[in-house]
Amino acid sequence: MTDTPNSADQASAASVLQAILDTTVDGLITIDARGRIIAFNKACERIFGYAADEVRGRNVSCMMPEPYHDEHDGYLERYHNGGEARIIGKGREVRGLRKDGSTFPLDLAVAKVEVDGHVLYSGIVRDITERKQAEAKILLQNEELGRFAFMASHDLKEPLRSIEAFAEILSLDYADKLDAEGQNYLEILMSSASRLRAVVNDVLEYSRLDTDLGSAEEFDAGKVLKQLRDELRDQLEQTGGQVTMEELPVLRGDRVRFYRLLQNLISNALKYCPPERQPEVHVSAALHNDFWQFRVQDNGIGIDPEYYSVIFEMFKRLHTRDTYSGTGIGLAICRRIVENWEGEIWIEAAPENGSVFCFTFPATTGMISGEGT
């Protein structure tokens, strides 16, 4: 008996498909409605240490450590009975169990497939051991760097106090004995000490952001902004500037960090404004899915789009200190604050001129405070 052209084509297509499955980087497991393994490609053999013949027909839970092993059959039963599907069509991180008994992290994505009236489940798995090790190494390095920054900045405070103290003594007791050049040197010394203190303080704050976490509380974002505006009253009067706002939400989180974030963004907006222009800052918020999206818009000098991706880096300055003062750490602090509550921060161009700094905050409530203007 010979194959018909149609059956030969089908056999060829099946052979090609099997070759593709066996050479793919990711593991592919197919199980039936009872959890029994039907297909197990070469990548799965490498990942789990089993040959396909060793696991075909066995329950897929044999490759799951506790508590996944005992929960698996119950999950399948609940899904068939009630349609509960926590992972169908979704990706997640789980742990796998190799033949040698070792466990490892893996990414798993499961899809439901119906073939000739039978329900099958196809799982794509990827061993992420190296990725998790790299992430752990980066976290450790960041922790070590944070401790170094904290210790170095803390240890700098004592000699800095001495420099400032002796500079003040020179200024009070010996300034009249110095010639013009000596007085100029003294002014440079005092200015440099002041800049160094600002840098030390900012580095200390940045290094503490991941460890010195405040307690969560419910607070009114509008009232926080009004408090900040009151504290900036002198600067606003001197520049003729104004800070306005729309109705802002009630939030739950670290009120102090939220205040510090707005303080940095609004202070920058007031500082980076041409002297011939009266600064205008407007703050608004809108609900987007599970986050409030805040917008802090100014009419300042703006930022070239080519710097949007680097402006939040440590010590990144776009202007000389003679033009605009600062440590180059403020926006890095803003980014770290936002990332600590799992939000995002970015910059956009304002409609006419200036910049719009946007950030997100988890929305535990959709309530608007009523604080505006």
Side-chain angles (χ1 to χ4, degrees), residues 94-264:
V94 297
R95 293 199 68 81
L97 177 65
R98 296 190 183 93
K99 182 180 179 180
D100 62 10
S102 61
T103 64
F104 64 100
L106 60 86
D107 276 339
L108 169 66
V110 180
K112 178 182 175 182
V113 182
E114 293 190 17
V115 179
D116 298 329
H118 298 287
V119 176
L120 304 176
Y121 300 97
S122 179
I124 299 176
V125 297
R126 173 175 295 180
D127 185 346
I128 57 173
T129 300
E130 292 185 359
R131 190 185 82 189
K132 299 299 289 186
Q133 290 173 342
E135 290 175 355
K137 184 177 181 180
I138 291 173
L139 287 174
L140 179 60
Q141 290 173 339
N142 286 342
E143 290 176 3
E144 292 175 346
L145 183 59
R147 285 195 295 269
F148 170 78
F150 177 81
M151 294 302 298
S153 299
H154 186 271
D155 290 347
L156 281 173
K157 281 196 165 185
E158 184 59 35
L160 179 57
R161 277 193 290 265
S162 297
I163 293 172
E164 290 177 323
F166 280 107
E168 185 176 2
I169 291 173
L170 286 173
S171 176
L172 293 175
D173 297 341
Y174 296 94
D176 58 343
K177 298 179 176 62
L178 298 174
D179 58 16
E181 187 176 17
Q183 291 181 359
N184 182 50
Y185 290 158
L186 179 58
E187 290 178 5
I188 293 174
L189 174 62
M190 297 177 69
S191 175
S192 297
S194 177
R195 285 207 311 270
L196 179 56
R197 176 164 293 281
V199 171
V200 167
N201 288 336
D202 281 353
V203 170
L204 275 172
E205 179 181 0
Y206 186 85
S207 67
R208 287 195 297 256
L209 286 175
D210 287 339
T211 55
D212 186 18
L213 300 178
S215 59
E217 61 178 304
E218 191 170 277
F219 62 90
D220 188 325
K223 291 182 178 179
V224 170
L225 182 54
K226 284 187 174 182
Q227 177 189 350
L228 174 59
R229 189 167 57 186
D230 288 342
E231 294 187 9
L232 292 172
R233 181 179 294 125
D234 290 345
Q235 185 177 355
L236 291 172
E237 290 178 353
Q238 290 173 5
T239 60
Q242 59 177 342
V243 177
T244 58
M245 62 178 173
E246 298 177 12
E247 293 185 336
L248 300 181
V250 173
L251 306 172
R252 181 168 182 79
D254 190 331
R255 182 185 182 280
V256 174
R257 292 283 172 81
F258 184 81
Y259 177 91
R260 183 72 171 107
L261 171 66
L262 288 182
Q263 183 184 48
N264 273 352

Side-chain angles (χ1 to χ4, degrees), residues 295-312:
R295 294 171 62 85
V296 180
Q297 180 173 330
D298 65 59
N299 65 336
I301 60 175
I303 298 174
D304 194 307
E306 70 174 294
Y307 297 111
Y308 283 2
S309 61
V310 299
I311 194 64
F312 296 99

